[in-house]
Amino acid sequence: MKHRFNFLTLLLVLFTIPAGIFARESKFTKRGSGPLFWNMYQYNFRYGTSMPEDVWKKNIDWLAEEFLPYGYDMAATDGWLFNLNSIDQYGYLTKYDSSWTYGLKYWGDYLKSKGMRFGFYFNPLWVPKAAYVQNNNIKGTSIPITDVVGTTKFEDHLYWIDTDKPGAEQWVKGCIRTMIDQGIELLKIDFLGYYERDYGTNRYIKALKWMAEEAGDEMLLSYSVPNCRNDARNEIIYADMIRISTDCDGGGWWFISDKERGQVNESGQGDKYRSAFDGLIGWADIIGVKGQTIMDPDFVQLNTLASDAEREFHISMLLVSGSPIGITDQYNTIGDCAKFYKNTEMLELNKLGFVGKPLSTSIWDKQNSSRWIGQLPDGDWIVGLFNRESTVLEYGIDFEKELGIKGGKVKNVRDLWLHQDLGAMSGRYSVRLEPHSCKVLRIKPNSKRYKAAVASLRNGAVINR
């Protein structure tokens, strides 16, 4: 299969989703790029437990003061759901953790009062053990909760529902609606691939459909650990955001680039790519199509990286690919790394809904898969050059052959990290990049000339000059 493409490819918008398959097209995906937010994951991972409520509040207040002015307008919970005893009469959660004093509605209102939104971690296909024991009727039905529970559990305290059973649709939609009513605007739905494995694809598809129908434009649906079989054809229809690599775990360069780099899981079970950058490359022409779905390479822990160059690299790869930035550094762990989240010239890409594409969607084409391009609404080009390797290498971009700029002459090249105008150029831009470093350029052509969106190249479509 060929993966390399050149300038003329940019002239075609090849949305090659199979006939009859459509994307969700919510207000979240139509925006293009992903959300800017904070998530509690780092605390949970480091301590192996849920975050205490007072720590949650300290992080929210810090987020509002430090990052909200830069567009980071959401705080989200994560997993480690060990204490789920706080439920309403229908079995739905009212608290993130039963040890917390305040419930989800309180925290939704609190975030709203600070000008922020609420994100939550849960899977509507789960029934908490407390709800199973309570065994009231599912809202709007005369069907007891235990009647929709399947034959296998996710964990001892979380039961899977069986979507073939009467009442299952009402349970799933009721869960989504209850969360919306509590102020939740993003739902991270984890371990979806496990459900498909245990209950089959047809039951899995029904669940995704019900969630999307109830969520509408009121809630962003973020899928985590889906199997994404057959080019994610089932997930693309119903998701807003899809994880494209494994968990960030303890962070570091290993997670960004080196984690089982170059390996592809073709089993149809679990993550296809392990490292975040491999996932961005491999899914760029499928999940990462602007207006269709948003690629999610998991959270950002800048305090775990070894250098400022690696920190610029991580932020750049997210903004250039149109991915979300999910900060999981905390108020007491971030150190002096906050400044890398606040580069306003880089953040403008997110604000404009920018979604770039690599010059190759093959993870084995090291040079070209590390060169990303795309065009802004005003006609300027964005070019991201990324050195994932352990040696100094030269990277560049040809203005005419690869960007289609007539005559190869540009009015100005601007470095978005140095905040410097490099002036007019002709032919190409070249730079020697240190290991684990990058350059992000904004290139202004001599005349405005708008090109088609970077194509989706599923099935190896190649256009030659």
Side-chain angles (χ1 to χ4, degrees):
M1 178 183 291
K2 295 181 180 180
H3 295 269
R4 177 76 187 277
F5 63 92
N6 59 23
F7 162 64
L8 283 188
T9 306
L10 305 181
L11 301 179
L12 300 176
V13 182
L14 304 176
F15 291 108
T16 53
I17 306 172
I21 304 297
F22 302 95
R24 178 156 133 76
E25 293 189 331
S26 69
K27 71 177 184 181
F28 309 107
T29 58
K30 288 176 182 176
R31 180 180 180 275
S33 50
L36 305 177
F37 66 105
W38 174 87
N39 184 286
M40 64 167 59
Y41 176 90
Q42 184 183 79
Y43 182 98
N44 297 353
F45 181 83
R46 288 186 175 184
Y47 296 104
T49 190
S50 56
M51 176 177 277
E53 192 171 30
D54 65 318
V55 179
W56 162 256
K57 183 179 184 302
K58 288 177 182 177
N59 277 293
I60 288 176
D61 293 342
W62 164 72
L63 178 69
E65 181 179 349
E66 190 81 14
F67 293 102
L68 180 59
Y70 294 89
Y72 298 86
D73 65 351
M74 181 185 294
T77 67
D78 208 80
W80 286 264
L81 304 177
F82 301 129
N83 195 8
L84 300 178
N85 296 316
S86 298
I87 57 174
D88 66 14
Q89 61 179 313
Y90 302 109
Y92 298 125
L93 292 180
T94 58
K95 292 183 180 180
Y96 161 68
D97 188 277
S98 295
S99 67
W100 283 24
T101 300
Y102 300 107
L104 301 180
K105 182 66 166 64
Y106 172 90
W107 287 112
D109 290 343
Y110 185 82
L111 285 162
K112 188 175 181 179
S113 74
K114 288 184 169 288
M116 295 191 294
R117 299 177 293 153
F118 190 11
F120 194 65
Y121 173 103
F122 194 71
N123 190 327
L125 299 174
W126 290 334
V127 172
K129 187 174 183 179
Y132 183 89
V133 172
Q134 177 179 277
N135 200 28
N136 286 347
N137 290 344
I138 295 168
K139 188 174 184 179
T141 78
S142 58
I143 301 169
I145 288 174
T146 54
D147 283 12
V148 301
V149 169
T151 56
T152 62
K153 297 180 182 178
F154 172 66
E155 290 181 345
D156 284 343
H157 65 297
L158 287 169
Y159 299 78
W160 287 122
I161 68 161
D162 183 340
T163 58
D164 273 351
K165 293 189 173 184
E169 180 176 359
Q170 289 89 339
W171 169 265
V172 169
K173 290 186 174 180
C175 183
I176 296 286
R177 178 50 49 190
T178 299
M179 291 182 180
I180 291 171
D181 290 345
Q182 294 177 107
I184 293 166
E185 296 188 38
L186 177 150
L187 182 62
K188 180 180 177 182
I189 309 165
D190 207 354
F191 297 105
L192 283 167
Y194 289 40
Y195 189 84
E196 185 178 22
R197 176 196 66 193
D198 292 347
Y199 287 88
T201 299
N202 289 338
R203 294 177 190 177
Y204 171 67
I205 292 171
K206 276 199 287 188
L208 302 185
K209 178 176 179 288
W210 295 339
M211 294 180 208
E213 286 175 347
E214 190 64 32
D217 275 349
E218 296 179 86
M219 175 184 279
L220 187 156
L221 298 178
S222 175
Y223 291 0
S224 192
V225 197
N227 293 322
C228 290
R229 297 171 181 170
N230 301 313
D231 285 341
R233 68 171 60 208
N234 297 321
E235 289 80 7
I236 286 171
I237 304 172
Y238 302 114
D240 296 305
M241 195 156 73
I242 302 176
R243 269 275 297 281
I244 46 80
S245 58
T246 57
D247 286 1
C248 64
D249 295 336
W253 181 257
W254 172 77
F255 156 69
I256 295 171
S257 181
D258 289 351
K259 187 177 185 180
E260 298 177 37
R261 180 178 175 182
Q263 296 186 30
V264 181
N265 172 18
E266 300 283 10
S267 70
Q269 186 64 48
D271 299 297
K272 186 173 183 178
Y273 301 99
R274 306 293 289 175
S275 84
F277 207 98
D278 276 4
L280 290 174
I281 296 164
W283 286 115
D285 65 327
I286 302 172
I287 294 174
V289 175
K290 184 172 181 177
Q292 178 174 287
T293 38
I294 301 162
M295 295 192 292
D296 175 17
D298 213 19
F299 306 123
V300 188
Q301 304 180 73
L302 293 187
N303 72 89
T304 67
L305 295 172
S307 68
D308 288 352
E310 289 185 353
R311 296 180 182 103
E312 290 182 0
F313 188 110
H314 198 179
I315 296 299
S316 298
M317 79 180 203
L318 299 175
L319 292 172
V320 169
S321 64
S323 299
I325 296 182
I327 302 171
T328 195
D329 306 277
Q330 301 167 75
Y331 74 95
N332 58 353
T333 67
I334 195 167
D336 63 352
C337 298
K339 60 188 176 184
F340 297 97
Y341 291 114
K342 299 177 179 180
N343 182 336
T344 54
E345 290 194 74
M346 290 295 299
L347 289 172
E348 187 179 5
L349 304 186
N350 179 273
K351 193 178 296 184
L352 294 172
F354 179 81
V355 181
K357 288 285 176 286
L359 287 181
S360 170
T361 56
S362 167
I363 61 173
W364 301 287
D365 185 350
K366 293 182 179 181
Q367 178 73 207
N368 292 305
S369 67
S370 293
R371 298 191 298 144
W372 289 62
I373 62 173
Q375 199 168 21
L376 294 175
D378 67 356
D380 286 2
W381 285 91
I382 297 297
V383 174
L385 306 172
F386 299 91
N387 185 3
R388 302 174 67 186
E389 315 308 325
S390 57
T391 57
V392 178
L393 292 174
E394 182 172 308
Y395 290 80
I397 195 75
D398 189 294
F399 300 142
E400 184 166 24
K401 292 180 180 178
E402 292 170 321
L403 299 185
I405 297 173
K406 190 174 182 180
K409 294 182 179 181
V410 301
K411 190 179 297 183
N412 187 50
V413 175
R414 183 166 177 82
D415 187 314
L416 298 188
W417 280 103
L418 293 179
H419 307 294
Q420 289 181 359
D421 289 327
L422 307 182
M425 295 186 186
S426 62
R428 72 183 271 115
Y429 170 90
S430 296
V431 63
R432 288 176 62 80
L433 290 178
E434 295 293 323
H436 305 181
S437 70
C438 70
K439 281 285 181 188
V440 181
L441 309 170
R442 183 166 182 163
I443 299 172
K444 186 173 290 295
N446 279 335
S447 60
K448 287 186 179 180
R449 186 181 178 193
Y450 296 92
K451 307 301 175 189
V454 176
S456 172
L457 295 179
R458 293 172 66 158
N459 304 317
V462 176
I463 307 297
N464 295 314
R465 288 196 66 159

PDB file of all heavy atoms in Angstrom, residues 198-219:
ATOM      1  N   ASP A 198     -16.827  -8.975  24.542  1.00  0.00           N
ATOM      2  CA  ASP A 198     -17.653  -9.868  25.358  1.00  0.00           C
ATOM      3  C   ASP A 198     -19.077 -10.034  24.839  1.00  0.00           C
ATOM      4  O   ASP A 198     -19.706 -11.079  25.066  1.00  0.00           O
ATOM      5  CB  ASP A 198     -17.708  -9.355  26.803  1.00  0.00           C
ATOM      6  CG  ASP A 198     -16.358  -9.453  27.509  1.00  0.00           C
ATOM      7  OD1 ASP A 198     -15.458 -10.136  26.979  1.00  0.00           O
ATOM      8  OD2 ASP A 198     -16.202  -8.834  28.571  1.00  0.00           O
ATOM      9  N   TYR A 199     -19.602  -9.003  24.157  1.00  0.00           N
ATOM     10  CA  TYR A 199     -21.012  -9.044  23.755  1.00  0.00           C
ATOM     11  C   TYR A 199     -21.234  -8.972  22.250  1.00  0.00           C
ATOM     12  O   TYR A 199     -22.372  -9.057  21.784  1.00  0.00           O
ATOM     13  CB  TYR A 199     -21.783  -7.921  24.465  1.00  0.00           C
ATOM     14  CG  TYR A 199     -21.985  -8.229  25.931  1.00  0.00           C
ATOM     15  CD1 TYR A 199     -21.023  -7.871  26.875  1.00  0.00           C
ATOM     16  CD2 TYR A 199     -23.120  -8.900  26.365  1.00  0.00           C
ATOM     17  CE1 TYR A 199     -21.183  -8.177  28.220  1.00  0.00           C
ATOM     18  CE2 TYR A 199     -23.302  -9.206  27.706  1.00  0.00           C
ATOM     19  CZ  TYR A 199     -22.331  -8.848  28.628  1.00  0.00           C
ATOM     20  OH  TYR A 199     -22.501  -9.166  29.958  1.00  0.00           O
ATOM     21  N   GLY A 200     -20.170  -8.793  21.486  1.00  0.00           N
ATOM     22  CA  GLY A 200     -20.292  -8.818  20.038  1.00  0.00           C
ATOM     23  C   GLY A 200     -20.525  -7.442  19.425  1.00  0.00           C
ATOM     24  O   GLY A 200     -20.994  -6.517  20.086  1.00  0.00           O
ATOM     25  N   THR A 201     -20.212  -7.337  18.136  1.00  0.00           N
ATOM     26  CA  THR A 201     -20.250  -6.045  17.450  1.00  0.00           C
ATOM     27  C   THR A 201     -21.665  -5.496  17.307  1.00  0.00           C
ATOM     28  O   THR A 201     -21.887  -4.289  17.438  1.00  0.00           O
ATOM     29  CB  THR A 201     -19.581  -6.174  16.073  1.00  0.00           C
ATOM     30  OG1 THR A 201     -18.210  -6.570  16.254  1.00  0.00           O
ATOM     31  CG2 THR A 201     -19.611  -4.857  15.327  1.00  0.00           C
ATOM     32  N   ASN A 202     -22.655  -6.351  17.039  1.00  0.00           N
ATOM     33  CA  ASN A 202     -24.018  -5.844  16.848  1.00  0.00           C
ATOM     34  C   ASN A 202     -24.563  -5.188  18.110  1.00  0.00           C
ATOM     35  O   ASN A 202     -25.184  -4.118  18.053  1.00  0.00           O
ATOM     36  CB  ASN A 202     -24.938  -6.984  16.402  1.00  0.00           C
ATOM     37  CG  ASN A 202     -24.649  -7.439  14.974  1.00  0.00           C
ATOM     38  OD1 ASN A 202     -24.083  -6.694  14.181  1.00  0.00           O
ATOM     39  ND2 ASN A 202     -25.014  -8.673  14.647  1.00  0.00           N
ATOM     40  N   ARG A 203     -24.332  -5.790  19.257  1.00  0.00           N
ATOM     41  CA  ARG A 203     -24.795  -5.202  20.510  1.00  0.00           C
ATOM     42  C   ARG A 203     -24.010  -3.924  20.829  1.00  0.00           C
ATOM     43  O   ARG A 203     -24.564  -2.963  21.374  1.00  0.00           O
ATOM     44  CB  ARG A 203     -24.662  -6.210  21.652  1.00  0.00           C
ATOM     45  CG  ARG A 203     -25.583  -7.410  21.507  1.00  0.00           C
ATOM     46  CD  ARG A 203     -25.370  -8.411  22.622  1.00  0.00           C
ATOM     47  NE  ARG A 203     -26.084  -9.651  22.356  1.00  0.00           N
ATOM     48  CZ  ARG A 203     -26.044 -10.725  23.116  1.00  0.00           C
ATOM     49  NH1 ARG A 203     -25.298 -10.724  24.212  1.00  0.00           N
ATOM     50  NH2 ARG A 203     -26.715 -11.816  22.816  1.00  0.00           N
ATOM     51  N   TYR A 204     -22.740  -3.947  20.481  1.00  0.00           N
ATOM     52  CA  TYR A 204     -21.869  -2.778  20.671  1.00  0.00           C
ATOM     53  C   TYR A 204     -22.372  -1.587  19.852  1.00  0.00           C
ATOM     54  O   TYR A 204     -22.497  -0.469  20.359  1.00  0.00           O
ATOM     55  CB  TYR A 204     -20.457  -3.177  20.271  1.00  0.00           C
ATOM     56  CG  TYR A 204     -19.433  -2.081  20.175  1.00  0.00           C
ATOM     57  CD1 TYR A 204     -18.996  -1.379  21.295  1.00  0.00           C
ATOM     58  CD2 TYR A 204     -18.840  -1.779  18.943  1.00  0.00           C
ATOM     59  CE1 TYR A 204     -18.029  -0.405  21.202  1.00  0.00           C
ATOM     60  CE2 TYR A 204     -17.862  -0.808  18.838  1.00  0.00           C
ATOM     61  CZ  TYR A 204     -17.462  -0.118  19.964  1.00  0.00           C
ATOM     62  OH  TYR A 204     -16.491   0.843  19.868  1.00  0.00           O
ATOM     63  N   ILE A 205     -22.708  -1.827  18.598  1.00  0.00           N
ATOM     64  CA  ILE A 205     -23.187  -0.746  17.720  1.00  0.00           C
ATOM     65  C   ILE A 205     -24.478  -0.146  18.258  1.00  0.00           C
ATOM     66  O   ILE A 205     -24.670   1.078  18.239  1.00  0.00           O
ATOM     67  CB  ILE A 205     -23.378  -1.263  16.279  1.00  0.00           C
ATOM     68  CG1 ILE A 205     -22.025  -1.602  15.648  1.00  0.00           C
ATOM     69  CG2 ILE A 205     -24.106  -0.231  15.421  1.00  0.00           C
ATOM     70  CD1 ILE A 205     -22.124  -2.308  14.310  1.00  0.00           C
ATOM     71  N   LYS A 206     -25.369  -0.987  18.746  1.00  0.00           N
ATOM     72  CA  LYS A 206     -26.614  -0.469  19.323  1.00  0.00           C
ATOM     73  C   LYS A 206     -26.322   0.500  20.463  1.00  0.00           C
ATOM     74  O   LYS A 206     -26.948   1.559  20.576  1.00  0.00           O
ATOM     75  CB  LYS A 206     -27.484  -1.629  19.835  1.00  0.00           C
ATOM     76  CG  LYS A 206     -28.330  -2.276  18.788  1.00  0.00           C
ATOM     77  CD  LYS A 206     -29.471  -3.069  19.379  1.00  0.00           C
ATOM     78  CE  LYS A 206     -29.016  -4.343  20.031  1.00  0.00           C
ATOM     79  NZ  LYS A 206     -30.161  -5.195  20.439  1.00  0.00           N
ATOM     80  N   ALA A 207     -25.375   0.131  21.313  1.00  0.00           N
ATOM     81  CA  ALA A 207     -25.021   0.981  22.457  1.00  0.00           C
ATOM     82  C   ALA A 207     -24.495   2.331  21.996  1.00  0.00           C
ATOM     83  O   ALA A 207     -24.889   3.382  22.522  1.00  0.00           O
ATOM     84  CB  ALA A 207     -23.984   0.273  23.329  1.00  0.00           C
ATOM     85  N   LEU A 208     -23.594   2.326  21.006  1.00  0.00           N
ATOM     86  CA  LEU A 208     -23.038   3.578  20.497  1.00  0.00           C
ATOM     87  C   LEU A 208     -24.145   4.461  19.914  1.00  0.00           C
ATOM     88  O   LEU A 208     -24.153   5.684  20.112  1.00  0.00           O
ATOM     89  CB  LEU A 208     -21.978   3.298  19.425  1.00  0.00           C
ATOM     90  CG  LEU A 208     -20.780   2.429  19.817  1.00  0.00           C
ATOM     91  CD1 LEU A 208     -19.773   2.371  18.672  1.00  0.00           C
ATOM     92  CD2 LEU A 208     -20.113   2.920  21.097  1.00  0.00           C
ATOM     93  N   LYS A 209     -25.063   3.845  19.207  1.00  0.00           N
ATOM     94  CA  LYS A 209     -26.167   4.583  18.580  1.00  0.00           C
ATOM     95  C   LYS A 209     -27.037   5.255  19.650  1.00  0.00           C
ATOM     96  O   LYS A 209     -27.375   6.437  19.537  1.00  0.00           O
ATOM     97  CB  LYS A 209     -26.998   3.629  17.730  1.00  0.00           C
ATOM     98  CG  LYS A 209     -28.219   4.244  17.061  1.00  0.00           C
ATOM     99  CD  LYS A 209     -28.897   3.208  16.163  1.00  0.00           C
ATOM    100  CE  LYS A 209     -30.146   3.777  15.485  1.00  0.00           C
ATOM    101  NZ  LYS A 209     -31.254   3.969  16.442  1.00  0.00           N
ATOM    102  N   TRP A 210     -27.381   4.530  20.695  1.00  0.00           N
ATOM    103  CA  TRP A 210     -28.234   5.088  21.748  1.00  0.00           C
ATOM    104  C   TRP A 210     -27.550   6.266  22.446  1.00  0.00           C
ATOM    105  O   TRP A 210     -28.188   7.281  22.719  1.00  0.00           O
ATOM    106  CB  TRP A 210     -28.566   4.014  22.782  1.00  0.00           C
ATOM    107  CG  TRP A 210     -29.403   2.886  22.250  1.00  0.00           C
ATOM    108  CD1 TRP A 210     -30.198   2.903  21.136  1.00  0.00           C
ATOM    109  CD2 TRP A 210     -29.526   1.575  22.811  1.00  0.00           C
ATOM    110  NE1 TRP A 210     -30.800   1.670  20.962  1.00  0.00           N
ATOM    111  CE2 TRP A 210     -30.416   0.845  21.968  1.00  0.00           C
ATOM    112  CE3 TRP A 210     -28.982   0.925  23.923  1.00  0.00           C
ATOM    113  CZ2 TRP A 210     -30.759  -0.488  22.240  1.00  0.00           C
ATOM    114  CZ3 TRP A 210     -29.324  -0.391  24.191  1.00  0.00           C
ATOM    115  CH2 TRP A 210     -30.209  -1.081  23.358  1.00  0.00           C
ATOM    116  N   MET A 211     -26.256   6.112  22.714  1.00  0.00           N
ATOM    117  CA  MET A 211     -25.530   7.204  23.377  1.00  0.00           C
ATOM    118  C   MET A 211     -25.538   8.464  22.522  1.00  0.00           C
ATOM    119  O   MET A 211     -25.790   9.568  23.013  1.00  0.00           O
ATOM    120  CB  MET A 211     -24.091   6.783  23.666  1.00  0.00           C
ATOM    121  CG  MET A 211     -23.925   5.669  24.682  1.00  0.00           C
ATOM    122  SD  MET A 211     -22.167   5.295  24.893  1.00  0.00           S
ATOM    123  CE  MET A 211     -22.242   3.564  25.371  1.00  0.00           C
ATOM    124  N   ALA A 212     -25.257   8.312  21.238  1.00  0.00           N
ATOM    125  CA  ALA A 212     -25.196   9.464  20.339  1.00  0.00           C
ATOM    126  C   ALA A 212     -26.570  10.121  20.186  1.00  0.00           C
ATOM    127  O   ALA A 212     -26.677  11.352  20.135  1.00  0.00           O
ATOM    128  CB  ALA A 212     -24.658   9.035  18.977  1.00  0.00           C
ATOM    129  N   GLU A 213     -27.615   9.317  20.113  1.00  0.00           N
ATOM    130  CA  GLU A 213     -28.961   9.867  19.976  1.00  0.00           C
ATOM    131  C   GLU A 213     -29.324  10.737  21.175  1.00  0.00           C
ATOM    132  O   GLU A 213     -29.923  11.808  21.014  1.00  0.00           O
ATOM    133  CB  GLU A 213     -29.976   8.721  19.833  1.00  0.00           C
ATOM    134  CG  GLU A 213     -29.947   8.046  18.470  1.00  0.00           C
ATOM    135  CD  GLU A 213     -30.862   6.831  18.387  1.00  0.00           C
ATOM    136  OE1 GLU A 213     -31.341   6.363  19.445  1.00  0.00           O
ATOM    137  OE2 GLU A 213     -31.084   6.345  17.263  1.00  0.00           O
ATOM    138  N   GLU A 214     -28.977  10.285  22.371  1.00  0.00           N
ATOM    139  CA  GLU A 214     -29.346  11.048  23.564  1.00  0.00           C
ATOM    140  C   GLU A 214     -28.429  12.247  23.775  1.00  0.00           C
ATOM    141  O   GLU A 214     -28.865  13.302  24.222  1.00  0.00           O
ATOM    142  CB  GLU A 214     -29.321  10.152  24.800  1.00  0.00           C
ATOM    143  CG  GLU A 214     -29.927  10.782  26.042  1.00  0.00           C
ATOM    144  CD  GLU A 214     -31.411  11.073  25.886  1.00  0.00           C
ATOM    145  OE1 GLU A 214     -32.115  10.326  25.171  1.00  0.00           O
ATOM    146  OE2 GLU A 214     -31.888  12.073  26.485  1.00  0.00           O
ATOM    147  N   ALA A 215     -27.153  12.090  23.426  1.00  0.00           N
ATOM    148  CA  ALA A 215     -26.182  13.173  23.653  1.00  0.00           C
ATOM    149  C   ALA A 215     -26.423  14.358  22.733  1.00  0.00           C
ATOM    150  O   ALA A 215     -26.294  15.518  23.150  1.00  0.00           O
ATOM    151  CB  ALA A 215     -24.762  12.653  23.480  1.00  0.00           C
ATOM    152  N   GLY A 216     -26.769  14.091  21.467  1.00  0.00           N
ATOM    153  CA  GLY A 216     -26.967  15.175  20.510  1.00  0.00           C
ATOM    154  C   GLY A 216     -25.806  16.151  20.525  1.00  0.00           C
ATOM    155  O   GLY A 216     -24.641  15.751  20.521  1.00  0.00           O
ATOM    156  N   ASP A 217     -26.135  17.441  20.561  1.00  0.00           N
ATOM    157  CA  ASP A 217     -25.114  18.481  20.653  1.00  0.00           C
ATOM    158  C   ASP A 217     -24.906  18.955  22.089  1.00  0.00           C
ATOM    159  O   ASP A 217     -24.224  19.949  22.330  1.00  0.00           O
ATOM    160  CB  ASP A 217     -25.503  19.684  19.786  1.00  0.00           C
ATOM    161  CG  ASP A 217     -25.065  19.514  18.335  1.00  0.00           C
ATOM    162  OD1 ASP A 217     -24.290  18.579  18.049  1.00  0.00           O
ATOM    163  OD2 ASP A 217     -25.511  20.304  17.494  1.00  0.00           O
ATOM    164  N   GLU A 218     -25.484  18.234  23.044  1.00  0.00           N
ATOM    165  CA  GLU A 218     -25.374  18.647  24.442  1.00  0.00           C
ATOM    166  C   GLU A 218     -24.153  18.059  25.139  1.00  0.00           C
ATOM    167  O   GLU A 218     -23.743  18.548  26.184  1.00  0.00           O
ATOM    168  CB  GLU A 218     -26.637  18.228  25.209  1.00  0.00           C
ATOM    169  CG  GLU A 218     -27.900  18.908  24.742  1.00  0.00           C
ATOM    170  CD  GLU A 218     -29.104  18.438  25.519  1.00  0.00           C
ATOM    171  OE1 GLU A 218     -29.373  19.006  26.593  1.00  0.00           O
ATOM    172  OE2 GLU A 218     -29.769  17.480  25.057  1.00  0.00           O
ATOM    173  N   MET A 219     -23.594  17.005  24.583  1.00  0.00           N
ATOM    174  CA  MET A 219     -22.478  16.319  25.247  1.00  0.00           C
ATOM    175  C   MET A 219     -21.486  15.794  24.218  1.00  0.00           C
ATOM    176  O   MET A 219     -21.882  15.167  23.229  1.00  0.00           O
ATOM    177  CB  MET A 219     -23.005  15.164  26.097  1.00  0.00           C
ATOM    178  CG  MET A 219     -21.922  14.303  26.739  1.00  0.00           C
ATOM    179  SD  MET A 219     -22.612  12.887  27.626  1.00  0.00           S
ATOM    180  CE  MET A 219     -23.090  13.667  29.173  1.00  0.00           C
TER     181      MET A 219
END
